[in-house]
Amino acid sequence: MTLTAPAPAPPAQDRRAPARRPVRPLRILLHAFLALVALGWLLPLALSVYASLRPYEETARLGYFSLPEHLTFDYYAKAWGQAELPHYYLNTLIIVVPGVLVTLFLASFTAFAIARLRIPGRKVLLIVFTAGNLLPPQVLITPLYTLYTLVPLPAWLSDSQSLYDSYLGLILIHVAFQFGFCVFVMANFMRTIPEEITEAALVDGASVWKRYWRLTLPLCRPVLAALSTLQFTWMYNDFLWALVLMSSGDKLPVTSALNNLRGQFFTDYNLLAAGSVLVALPTLIVFQLLHKQFVAGLTLGSTKG
């Protein structure tokens, strides 16, 4: 029996830690600037939470930037009941959820036509959609108010029997103003999808609808998640159009419920701060649930080229 010598061990690899890049002064300034910006955004929210946990008498005596003597959650329970937040939350969902879904559906289908179908004037059409975002909505308040009062609706759809003071009217205005931005973002994203995929489906006999619904749309999930987060936040926080295009107090969205916490002669700003935190909470929850998809949608294409 012959013995074979063991194979020599491979030479040990150099496992030295990679050299760190020198810290540059501009990088330090950049991080300091970003920290200040983040602090500027978080400070009002932190101050609102802090004020909502303190009695108004204490802050009136010591000031809002003083150390607390007593912390309580009583203001949250009072704001929840006095502002009738569950009712206004439901109003907001009736407006925001259909608005987001309709906007993303119409925008994605239009973006697919611009990015994948050879229609004449598609570049001009995209420019028009983009330019529509530059129009200030305030300049349209008077003509839109007049138009909404003239468009008839059946009684089961609107108590005023017109587009004014109806959920449908508020949904349509949100869709109209957010449509152009979503088309611009989705059309640019769809152009990054290889055309060979849709061309192969076209050779196999796939219709336009199948190429859009079964092939292109599933590849757009990251950008759809990012736009869903943005659109939900923008429509949820809107106060202008609800104030202009609605008159019934029981139909207004939750942002207007804070008016129920203001007294005729006196306003408890600590109670108002608690209501503001409760109103802002759903947007924070949505962003927390979709923040990974939101960041992924924003960074798509950043490593291309």
Side-chain angles (χ1 to χ4, degrees):
M1 181 177 63
T2 59
L3 298 177
T4 58
Q13 296 181 353
D14 189 3
R15 297 183 179 179
R16 291 179 297 177
R20 295 183 178 180
R21 294 182 179 179
V23 180
R24 300 178 179 179
L26 290 179
R27 190 173 185 85
I28 297 177
L29 291 176
L30 176 62
H31 282 275
F33 172 75
L34 294 177
L36 289 176
V37 172
L39 183 62
W41 281 96
L42 293 176
L43 186 59
L45 178 61
L47 183 60
S48 297
V49 174
Y50 180 55
S52 66
L53 298 175
R54 303 178 65 188
Y56 179 79
E57 296 78 8
E58 179 181 315
T59 55
R61 177 168 47 90
L62 300 176
Y64 283 95
F65 294 95
S66 59
L67 294 177
E69 295 179 352
H70 179 65
L71 297 178
T72 178
F73 287 96
D74 293 343
Y75 274 137
Y76 287 95
K78 186 177 180 180
W80 182 268
Q82 182 175 333
E84 301 178 6
L85 288 182
H87 172 74
Y88 289 98
Y89 278 138
L90 180 60
N91 291 347
T92 301
L93 290 179
I94 294 175
I95 297 169
V96 172
V97 173
V100 172
L101 294 179
V102 172
T103 301
L104 292 182
F105 172 73
L106 295 178
S108 61
F109 196 75
T110 306
F112 174 79
I114 293 175
R116 283 291 179 262
L117 302 182
R118 301 183 183 278
I119 57 177
R122 55 180 180 173
K123 292 184 179 180
V124 177
L125 188 62
L126 183 60
I127 293 174
V128 171
F129 284 135
T130 307
N133 298 318
L134 305 178
L135 182 66
Q138 290 81 2
V139 301
L140 299 177
I141 288 179
T142 301
L144 275 176
Y145 176 83
T146 305
L147 178 64
Y148 268 48
T149 56
L150 297 177
V151 176
L153 285 181
W156 61 270
L157 197 57
S158 174
D159 296 334
S160 65
Q161 297 186 5
S162 67
L163 203 56
Y164 177 74
D165 196 26
S166 66
Y167 291 124
L168 178 61
L170 210 54
I171 292 171
L172 291 178
I173 198 64
H174 284 310
V175 172
F177 273 95
Q178 304 301 331
F179 176 73
F181 173 77
C182 292
V183 169
F184 173 76
V185 174
M186 296 201 68
N188 287 317
F189 172 77
M190 288 181 182
R191 287 175 177 173
T192 65
I193 301 175
E195 294 187 4
E196 290 78 6
I197 298 178
T198 53
E199 290 176 355
L202 180 62
V203 171
D204 292 338
S207 62
V208 174
W209 174 257
K210 288 185 178 180
R211 280 180 281 157
Y212 159 74
W213 185 257
R214 295 187 179 182
L215 187 62
T216 305
L217 204 60
L219 299 176
C220 297
R221 289 178 182 175
V223 70
L224 285 174
L227 288 176
S228 299
T229 307
L230 288 175
Q231 295 303 314
F232 180 88
T233 303
W234 291 343
M235 294 183 188
Y236 180 92
N237 290 329
D238 175 72
F239 181 73
L240 172 66
W241 292 119
L243 188 65
V244 173
L245 301 177
M246 277 192 168
S247 59
S248 300
D250 59 342
K251 291 183 179 180
L252 293 173
V254 71
T255 50
S256 62
L258 296 178
N259 286 330
N260 297 338
L261 300 177
R262 301 176 64 92
Q264 183 177 1
F265 303 104
F266 169 74
T267 299
D268 189 338
Y269 290 101
N270 293 39
L271 176 63
L272 193 62
S276 301
V277 173
L278 291 175
V279 169
L281 195 59
T283 57
L284 297 177
I285 294 175
V286 169
F287 182 81
Q288 183 64 28
L289 293 176
L290 298 176
H291 74 279
K292 292 183 179 179
Q293 292 81 0
F294 178 74
V295 174
L298 292 180
T299 56
L300 284 171
S302 59
T303 57
K304 293 182 180 294

